[in-house]
Amino acid sequence: MKKYDVVILGGGNAGMGVTVSTRAAGLSVAMIEARDLGGTCPNRGCTPKKVLVAAAHALHDIDRAAEHQITVSEPSLNWAALIDREKEMVMDIPDRLSGLMTKRGVDVIFGEASFAGGNEISVGGRKLEAKNIVIATGSKPRSLPIPGAEHMITSDDVLNDAVLPSEVVFVGGGVIAFELGHVYARAGVKVTILEALPHLLGSFDTDAVAQICGESERIGIRLHTLAWVKRIDNVDGRLRVTFAMEGRECAIDADRVVNCAGRIANVEGLDLGAGVVVHREGRIEIDDYLRSRSNPDVYVCGDALWNSLQLSPVATYEGAIVGRNIVDGPKHRPDYAQIPTSVYTIPAVASVGLTEAKAKEQGLAVTVHVNDMRGWLSAKTYAETVAWSKIIVEAKTDRILGAHMVGHAGEELIHLFALAMKHGITASQLSETVYGFPTFSSDIRNMM
């Protein structure tokens, strides 16, 4: 049995984040990864997906070329070559991260890990003992108890599919469905999104969601809420999705049906019970310092957590906090209040802080600034199809409590609002800042 100060289960962003301060403090660290270093985001998620999103952006720009008095012929997309480009972009990431871990002095072990005791891990027929164990095993697609669910594919499969389908149905109306839906729609695919709940993109501001839903429908995406999928059948080589909506049974035929019903913590095979790690249906009970409540030698970070945003920067942030707590003792708590997030539709939805509904639920007196910016000179210059913002300011203190944008380079501008919120820059101070002109950033002062 080899002994370490820290054993990290998972070689993704969260696990990498743990290694920085622990190795700087001279602790011995082992990292166990079942698949490839980097985890979902760089290998099968954010990074390869953005290659497809970038191509869809180009198609959108071509579609708007006439607004700039440019005549272009009908574009032709080589989907198989685009998938090859996506694969080429990420193929060396695991090797580069392996080199980084070697440079950092982390022992990397490949295999399936499980607990063999409160401070023991079993992997590949060997056992490791650690003063601290970190669960950073990420997440996996949520399975759906639908007859014919075996016919569904996941976002991983979409990123590997060299054949562009003619029609796709997404089961679930969350971030992945909208992002991939926009890629497909811009590529000429018929897209339908079926959501069982009353609202799409449920965690985002409802008015922002309405804006991107309108744009989604403009490009031909069909959106259905309160749509309960009953079964999926293979009919003559195509897939028939039968669902209930508005008291009647409906059906859609498609080439692909994509499971976008969300992701859950990937902890099923860890034998948490053997590690004295209390959990409920995979949701590990943690304290304010990201430690297991039942075994304080065990920490959890990244998508393996059930109560934080499943975003790669958040995973890295949580991993860094765990690393510092291992070194310093339990002193550091995560603060999620000013973390920006985006949905990489075309155009993107961007958000930070409280939605208008959450601010009012908390009884805060707020001033809400809403702008449809399509008529603004900057938006007209770039022929934006959507340009919208909502800024929520606390009336008494002038603090920015939340910002929500669709289009208008919102996925970039949102970071200025996040920076202001984190460092106490007021709405007035942000408005009074001198920005380069003409830029989308210079419109910030007019948003408030």
Side-chain angles (χ1 to χ4, degrees):
M1 181 180 292
K2 189 164 184 179
K3 296 183 179 181
Y4 288 91
D5 294 311
V6 184
V7 170
I8 303 166
L9 310 184
N13 286 6
M16 298 280 176
V18 176
T19 66
V20 178
S21 55
T22 53
R23 284 299 300 134
L27 302 184
S28 57
V29 179
M31 174 181 286
I32 303 174
E33 171 55 49
R35 192 168 176 180
D36 41 24
L37 287 179
T40 297
C41 177
N43 294 303
R44 302 176 296 281
C46 327
T47 305
K49 176 188 63 186
K50 283 300 290 290
V51 177
L52 305 189
V53 170
H57 264 288
L59 290 172
H60 175 61
D61 289 339
I62 293 169
D63 183 60
R64 305 300 292 170
E67 297 290 334
H68 304 288
Q69 310 311 310
I70 301 170
T71 301
V72 296
S73 59
E74 187 72 20
S76 175
L77 171 64
N78 186 334
W79 181 264
L82 177 61
I83 295 296
D84 286 342
R85 179 174 189 263
E86 166 232 311
K87 293 301 175 194
E88 184 181 355
M89 293 280 284
V90 302
M91 64 184 299
D92 65 337
I93 287 176
D95 286 341
R96 282 194 283 154
L97 292 175
S98 179
L100 175 63
M101 290 299 99
T102 298
K103 183 178 180 181
R104 201 169 282 176
V106 175
D107 290 347
V108 177
I109 303 166
F110 289 96
E112 297 279 352
S114 61
F115 280 92
N119 293 83
E120 293 181 13
I121 293 295
S122 175
V123 55
R126 52 191 290 205
K127 287 188 177 181
L128 310 179
E129 182 180 326
K131 296 176 183 177
N132 292 280
I133 295 172
V134 181
I135 299 173
T137 46
S139 62
K140 61 181 180 180
R142 184 190 305 275
S143 61
L144 292 174
I146 299 170
E150 67 274 9
H151 298 306
M152 289 193 292
I153 62 174
T154 67
S155 57
D156 288 13
D157 300 311
V158 171
L159 296 172
N160 287 318
D161 192 352
V163 178
L164 183 66
S166 62
E167 188 161 0
V168 174
V169 172
F170 291 92
V171 179
V175 171
I176 296 174
F178 269 82
E179 291 178 340
L180 293 178
H182 270 242
V183 169
Y184 273 140
R186 301 286 181 184
V189 178
K190 293 181 180 179
V191 175
T192 302
I193 295 177
L194 303 176
E195 171 56 58
L197 297 176
H199 305 291
L200 297 156
L201 295 172
S203 63
F204 287 82
D205 183 89
T206 54
D207 291 333
V209 173
Q211 292 290 322
I212 197 58
C213 283
E215 177 68 0
S216 300
E217 290 175 328
R218 186 189 73 79
I219 64 173
I221 298 176
R222 293 178 291 183
L223 304 173
H224 298 301
T225 56
L226 295 174
W228 291 84
V229 175
K230 300 179 70 175
R231 65 182 184 275
I232 302 168
D233 300 301
N234 192 324
V235 179
D236 298 328
R238 299 192 80 207
L239 298 175
R240 179 164 296 165
V241 182
T242 303
F243 60 99
M245 186 176 68
E246 297 178 351
R248 58 194 175 90
E249 188 170 280
C250 309
I252 300 175
D253 287 354
D255 303 296
R256 308 280 190 277
V257 181
V258 187
N259 178 1
C260 285
R263 298 175 69 87
I264 59 173
N266 185 24
V267 297
E268 188 176 357
L270 296 182
D271 196 356
L272 295 175
V276 200
V277 178
V278 172
H279 64 99
R280 295 181 182 179
E281 299 179 348
R283 296 184 171 193
I284 298 171
E285 296 184 7
I286 59 167
D287 64 15
D288 292 342
Y289 307 100
L290 305 182
R291 297 183 304 177
S292 162
R293 288 192 179 276
S294 56
N295 183 350
D297 293 336
V298 173
Y299 288 83
V300 191
C301 53
D303 284 6
L305 280 174
W306 61 271
N307 61 344
S308 66
L309 293 171
Q310 291 182 334
L311 300 171
S312 59
V314 174
T316 303
Y317 169 66
E318 291 168 344
I321 288 174
V322 166
R324 290 163 63 198
N325 280 334
I326 289 172
V327 173
D328 301 337
K331 299 178 180 178
H332 310 287
R333 306 180 185 187
D335 179 4
Y336 302 107
Q338 297 94 27
I339 293 178
T341 182
S342 293
V343 184
Y344 294 105
T345 44
I346 303 151
V349 181
S351 176
V352 64
L354 298 177
T355 63
E356 181 180 356
K358 287 291 184 183
K360 290 178 177 177
E361 278 179 22
Q362 294 181 18
L364 299 170
V366 297
T367 302
V368 180
H369 304 274
V370 179
N371 299 284
D372 184 342
M373 300 179 288
R374 286 175 298 176
W376 294 15
L377 183 60
S378 49
K380 291 172 71 175
T381 298
Y382 286 90
E384 284 200 277
T385 52
V386 181
W388 179 92
S389 68
K390 175 189 284 190
I391 315 301
I392 301 161
V393 179
E394 188 172 32
K396 184 177 180 180
T397 64
D398 199 34
R399 288 189 308 134
I400 300 169
L401 300 178
H404 312 277
M405 302 184 68
V406 183
H408 223 62
E411 67 270 41
E412 300 293 343
L413 296 191
I414 203 68
H415 297 95
L416 288 174
F417 289 99
L419 186 72
M421 291 168 64
K422 183 174 180 61
H423 296 286
I425 300 169
T426 66
S428 298
Q429 290 170 329
L430 194 62
S431 297
E432 291 163 1
T433 299
V434 178
Y435 300 93
F437 181 87
T439 61
F440 288 134
S441 297
S442 64
D443 281 337
I444 286 178
R445 63 180 186 174
N446 300 317
M447 292 179 192
M448 297 178 288

